């Protein structure tokens, strides 16, 4: 949602909705309407091919093995489900069913959504002796239940009146309470593993990842807002604050740490595995809850990434202490980054990286798990593709931000590749080796929760009409509600609307700190027009780049490095030459 003030767009909510992006690019192109209808139906068919086979051959187990048409509980075992058709207790969490709930709603199948909700209400329990991963359980199960509860109780009355009495919220509340003992550490950062029945076990590992203790605030914060119990949000917020306090002087974090000592175990990190959702949840928590604290964390972290990890359109890994590059590699999880950049308005950088990811997809037919940039070759052991959603996710964000039909073509290519290489009679199979397209007998639940969902929303955004949502890292939608905001962020107070029109100091802010759409030309009170280029770009004091001191110079739009004043009196990246 945007407000117009004196020729400047000021963002109120940076959320995914057809109304959030640049006004000049929002008009639909009728020439692409037929393609979008055809492709949305194609994606719908993909979803139900995966969903129906899961329900036939794997339900109520966690996930489907599509090649053998059997099931697996190897990911997490979360529920002790007592089914009428089975003579004995049966371990299985119906994980894929929980993950599919919001996708069913988005695709308009309220009947199946209601059937799934009522089944979970009757049979799902977390009173089971099972050791589970806190992070995965939070994003997949807790997030799935919280999101589905909100969808079940919204104004569209998707469920038959009287059938739903907050059963999913009660399950989420029960699960949240069982996760809380994991936070009982000297640092407040949670253990990575916990037993749902007995809590943290003796001799439990104290190692966790940055994502594992920094990506809990959306689900647990939403649970607190819904139940009125502040303990969930407080625990997640305390862990996040402690983690942020451990950053280096460069505003970088490592990948793994010890939750009892608060010491880093792995200093090298990037924007991929082990760290990715930490960045994602900072900006999304700011959007969902309106706290400036989250924005300040994100802004510092984002600029650190752009300065020390970015190399052209790619992002390598670096040592958090020195900023020196450690590993030059592309990982498939990094493909979420362009979508995140859309949320902060850094469209140019997002488009640049997205095109590079898609070029790798085109080269191999899918996106390999790891590609060595310095050697221009696949990682020798990580050649697989487990049906990940990140490239589809960023394609969805970029299309709705730009309305560039090229992104529809990208989506069509992704859909065609998935049908060509991964579709089998029993569902969709992961790829073990992208060089041979040898398949692996596993259909991950996130294929239905995210991959199919983002592809469908790319071609059919009717679910988003008149609604503001953010999506969790597992693709579960949470509505942006004014009642969840303690107050509007300081940057949005009306008295600040005119700050971009004021004196030179006001001009020397970045696109990200102003929270304006980069495709919009900013008009200042003195009649000067300026195109904001990227989220870290800060202009020089003078349009001709003349200077007397370093303070007259801004921040470079490409490298995010501070410009300096030369002996000849011109701003530039002189210190880096």
């Amino acid at each position: 949602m945007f407000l117009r003030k004196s020729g400047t767009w000021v963002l109120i909510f940076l959320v995914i909705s057809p109304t959030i992006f640049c006004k000049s690019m929002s008009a639909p192109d009728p020439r692409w309407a037929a393609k979008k209808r055809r492709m949305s139906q194609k994606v719908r068919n993909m979803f139900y091919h995966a969903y129906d086979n899961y329900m036939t051959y794997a339900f109520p187990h966690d996930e489907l093995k599509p090649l053998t048409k059997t099931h697996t509980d190897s990911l997490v075992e979360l529920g002790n489900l007592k089914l009428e058709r089975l003579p004995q207790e049966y371990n299985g969490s119906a994980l894929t069913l929980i993950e599919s709930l919001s996708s069913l709603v988005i695709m308009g199948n309220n009947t199946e959504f209601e059937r799934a909700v009522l089944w979970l209400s009757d049979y799902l329990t977390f009173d089971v002796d099972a050791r589970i991963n806190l992070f995965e359980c939070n994003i997949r199960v807790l997030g799935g239940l919280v999101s589905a509860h909100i969808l079940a109780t919204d104004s569209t009355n998707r469920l038959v009146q009287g059938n739903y009495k907050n059963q999913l919220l009660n399950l989420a509340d029960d699960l949240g309470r069982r996760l809380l003992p994991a936070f009982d550490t000297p640092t407040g950062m949670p253990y990575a593993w916990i037993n749902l029945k007995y809590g943290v076990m003796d001799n439990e590992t104290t190692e966790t990842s940055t994502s594992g203790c920094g990506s809990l605030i959306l689900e647990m914060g939403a649970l607190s807002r819904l139940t009125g119990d502040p303990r969930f949000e407080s625990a997640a917020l305390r862990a996040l604050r402690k983690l942020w306090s451990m950053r280096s002087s460069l505003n970088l974090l490592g990948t793994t740490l010890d939750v009892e000592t608060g010491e880093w175990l792995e200093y090298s990190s990037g924007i991929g595995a082990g760290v990715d959702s930490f960045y994602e949840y900072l900006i999304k928590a700011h959007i969902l809850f309106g706290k400036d604290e989250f924005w300040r964390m994100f802004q510092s972290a984002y600029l650190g990434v752009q300065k020390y990890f970015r190399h052209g359109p790619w992002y390598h890994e670096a040592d958090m202490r020195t900023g020196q590059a450690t590993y030059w590699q592309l990982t498939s999880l990094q493909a979420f980054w362009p979508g995140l950049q859309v949320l902060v308005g850094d469209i140019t950088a997002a488009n640049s990286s997205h095109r590079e990811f898609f070029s790798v997809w085109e080269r191999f037919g899918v996106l390999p798990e790891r590609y060595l940039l310095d050697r221009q070759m696949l990682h020798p052991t990580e050649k697989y593709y487990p049906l990940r959603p990140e490239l589809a996710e960023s394609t969805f964000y970029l299309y709705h931000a730009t309305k560039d039909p090229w992104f529809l073509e990208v989506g069509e290519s992704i859909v065609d590749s998935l049908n060509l290489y991964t579709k089998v009679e029993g569902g969709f199979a992961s790829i073990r080796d992208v060089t041979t397209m040898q398949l692996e007998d596993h259909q991950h639940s996130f294929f239905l929760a995210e991959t199919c969902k983002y592809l469908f929303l790319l071609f059919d955004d009717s679910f988003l009409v008149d609604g503001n949502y953010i999506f969790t890292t597992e693709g579960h939608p949470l509505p942006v509600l004014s009642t969840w905001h303690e107050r509007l962020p300081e940057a949005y107070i009306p008295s600040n609307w005119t700050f971009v029109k004021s004196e030179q100091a006001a001009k020397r802010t970045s696109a990200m700190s102003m929270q304006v759409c980069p495709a919009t030309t900013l008009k200042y009170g003195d009649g000067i027009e300026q195109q904001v280029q990227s989220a870290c770009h800060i202009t020089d004091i003078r349009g001709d780049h003349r200077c007397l001191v370093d303070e007259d110079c801004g921040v470079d739009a490409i490298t995010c490095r501070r410009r300096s004043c030369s002996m000849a009196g011109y701003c530039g990246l002189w210190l880096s030459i």
Side-chain angles (χ1 to χ4, degrees):
M1 175 181 178
F2 296 97
L3 289 184
R4 184 78 169 176
K5 186 70 174 180
S6 300
T8 301
W9 287 106
V10 180
L11 292 183
I12 294 298
F13 293 126
L14 287 166
V15 289
I16 273 299
S17 162
T19 64
I20 72 168
F21 300 113
C22 303
K23 184 177 181 181
S24 61
M25 298 181 179
S26 61
D29 187 341
R31 295 175 299 174
W32 292 88
K35 175 186 279 289
K36 292 170 71 173
R37 286 193 298 269
R38 176 174 61 83
M39 291 306 303
S40 64
Q41 185 58 48
K42 199 168 185 177
V43 177
R44 191 192 304 270
N45 294 340
M46 290 171 56
F47 173 82
Y48 284 112
H49 181 69
Y51 179 82
D52 291 343
N53 275 286
Y54 164 75
M55 296 300 293
T56 300
Y57 299 112
F59 174 78
H61 291 271
D62 288 346
E63 294 176 316
L64 170 69
K65 299 177 73 173
L67 299 180
T68 55
K69 297 180 180 179
T70 55
H71 63 266
T72 175
D73 291 310
S74 59
L75 186 64
V76 283
E77 292 186 357
L78 292 170
N80 205 354
L81 309 180
K82 301 177 181 179
L83 303 182
E84 295 176 357
R85 68 179 187 229
L86 295 178
Q88 59 186 1
E89 289 186 348
Y90 186 83
N91 284 331
S93 69
L95 175 65
T96 297
L97 181 63
I98 295 172
E99 290 259 71
S100 300
L101 292 173
S102 59
S103 296
L104 289 169
V105 172
I106 286 172
M107 295 189 188
N109 194 339
N110 292 337
T111 301
E112 183 66 12
F113 174 69
E114 179 173 9
R115 194 167 76 95
V117 166
L118 296 179
W119 187 92
L120 291 168
S121 302
D122 290 339
Y123 295 113
L124 183 62
T125 176
F126 299 116
D127 187 24
V128 56
D129 182 5
R131 178 176 178 264
I132 56 93
N133 182 275
L134 176 71
F135 170 73
E136 296 291 346
C137 184
N138 175 73
I139 66 171
R140 296 187 183 212
V141 183
L142 185 62
L145 292 172
V146 167
S147 175
H149 164 73
I150 295 171
L151 294 173
T153 55
D154 71 8
S155 59
T156 59
N157 296 317
R158 292 187 172 92
L159 300 185
V160 175
Q161 189 171 5
N163 284 348
Y164 185 70
K165 299 177 181 179
N166 297 331
Q167 297 99 313
L168 297 186
L169 180 60
N170 294 335
L171 284 168
D173 181 59
D174 177 50
L175 177 58
R177 292 171 187 266
R178 295 174 187 273
L179 299 181
L180 284 177
F183 293 84
D184 187 15
T185 65
T187 63
M189 295 184 293
Y191 290 99
W193 296 87
I194 188 171
N195 185 291
L196 287 175
K197 195 176 188 71
Y198 301 111
V200 179
M201 306 302 290
D202 293 338
N203 301 316
E204 184 59 82
T205 178
T206 60
E207 179 178 344
T208 191
S209 67
T210 297
S211 291
C213 56
S215 307
L216 307 168
I217 189 63
L218 293 186
E219 294 84 0
M220 302 199 85
L223 183 59
S224 283
R225 304 303 168 101
L226 292 168
T227 62
D229 187 339
R231 291 180 299 166
F232 310 115
E233 183 174 2
S234 296
L237 184 56
R238 181 190 176 201
L240 179 59
R241 285 170 172 165
K242 175 59 179 178
L243 180 66
W244 181 242
S245 74
M246 294 168 57
R247 70 192 184 279
S248 72
S249 60
L250 307 179
N251 286 324
L252 301 179
L253 293 88
T255 302
T256 58
L257 54 99
D258 188 300
V259 300
E260 292 188 347
T261 66
E263 296 179 353
W264 289 107
L265 302 176
E266 174 56 62
Y267 293 101
S268 178
S269 72
I271 59 170
V275 188
D276 48 356
S277 55
F278 163 75
Y279 297 106
E280 179 184 4
Y281 272 36
L282 290 180
I283 181 61
K284 290 183 177 180
H286 168 64
I287 295 168
L288 191 62
F289 302 124
K291 286 181 178 286
D292 272 352
E293 177 183 12
F294 296 130
W295 176 260
R296 290 191 294 268
M297 290 181 186
F298 176 78
Q299 186 175 23
S300 298
Y302 183 81
L303 294 180
V305 167
Q306 295 298 92
K307 182 175 182 179
Y308 295 106
F309 295 163
R310 183 179 178 182
H311 183 77
W314 300 110
Y315 291 83
H316 57 72
E317 296 180 21
D319 190 307
M320 63 172 284
R321 299 164 296 184
T322 65
Q324 295 298 310
T326 52
Y327 302 106
W328 292 79
Q329 56 188 3
L330 170 154
T331 64
S332 60
L333 289 172
Q334 293 176 348
F336 90 99
W337 191 254
L340 177 146
Q341 291 181 306
V342 170
L343 289 180
V344 297
D346 205 347
I347 306 296
T348 301
N351 181 58
S352 175
S353 294
H354 176 272
R355 288 177 182 269
E356 296 299 331
F357 281 112
F358 183 58
S359 70
V360 176
W361 178 286
E362 287 186 303
R363 176 177 174 182
F364 293 102
V366 292
L367 196 61
E369 187 70 3
R370 197 175 299 270
Y371 183 79
L372 305 179
L373 295 172
D374 52 347
R375 300 183 184 180
Q376 291 293 297
M377 61 175 286
L378 286 171
H379 189 281
T381 60
E382 298 186 44
K383 303 178 181 180
Y384 53 89
Y385 170 68
L387 306 175
R388 290 203 188 277
E390 284 74 18
L391 183 60
E393 177 185 2
S394 287
T395 304
F396 154 69
Y397 278 99
L398 274 162
Y399 171 69
H400 287 294
T402 66
K403 298 303 180 185
D404 185 340
W406 182 80
F407 293 107
L408 297 178
E409 300 283 0
V410 172
E412 183 175 21
S413 177
I414 294 174
V415 168
D416 290 345
S417 291
L418 289 171
N419 281 302
L420 176 63
Y421 297 120
T422 71
K423 185 178 181 181
V424 296
E425 184 180 2
F428 285 84
S430 301
I431 295 175
R432 186 185 301 274
D433 187 336
V434 301
T435 62
T436 63
M437 292 300 176
Q438 177 188 2
L439 296 178
E440 183 175 355
D441 197 12
H442 199 169
Q443 178 182 285
H444 290 274
S445 62
F446 55 68
F447 180 71
L448 292 97
E450 298 182 82
T451 309
C452 290
K453 178 181 292 161
Y454 286 124
L455 288 171
F456 184 81
L457 288 172
L458 171 65
F459 300 110
D460 184 345
D461 61 5
S462 55
F463 170 76
L464 301 172
V465 173
D466 298 325
N468 289 326
Y469 294 88
I470 57 99
F471 291 93
T472 70
T473 195
E474 196 68 11
H476 299 305
L478 296 174
V480 178
L481 304 171
S482 60
T483 55
W484 283 14
H485 282 229
E486 296 179 359
R487 58 179 175 78
L488 281 175
E490 294 171 359
Y492 302 145
I493 296 174
S495 61
N496 287 342
W497 285 355
T498 58
F499 76 108
V500 293
K501 296 172 56 182
S502 60
E503 300 302 322
Q504 291 177 340
K507 298 180 187 177
R508 295 173 53 69
T509 56
S510 71
M512 187 164 65
S513 64
M514 289 191 295
Q515 301 180 19
V516 298
C517 181
T520 302
T521 298
L522 303 184
K523 297 180 179 179
Y524 298 110
D526 52 11
I528 298 176
E529 295 186 356
Q530 176 186 326
Q531 185 86 12
V532 179
Q533 297 182 16
S534 78
C536 63
H537 182 216
I538 298 177
T539 59
D540 299 331
I541 284 285
R542 295 181 52 169
D544 60 3
H545 310 292
R546 296 297 300 267
C547 58
L548 296 175
V549 294
D550 288 345
E551 286 70 24
D552 292 340
C553 304
V555 175
D556 184 69
I558 304 301
T559 65
C560 292
R561 291 174 179 160
R562 171 69 63 180
R563 290 155 63 85
S564 60
C565 188
S566 70
M567 294 180 64
Y570 286 91
C571 292
L573 293 176
W574 311 117
L575 297 179
S576 61
I577 296 178

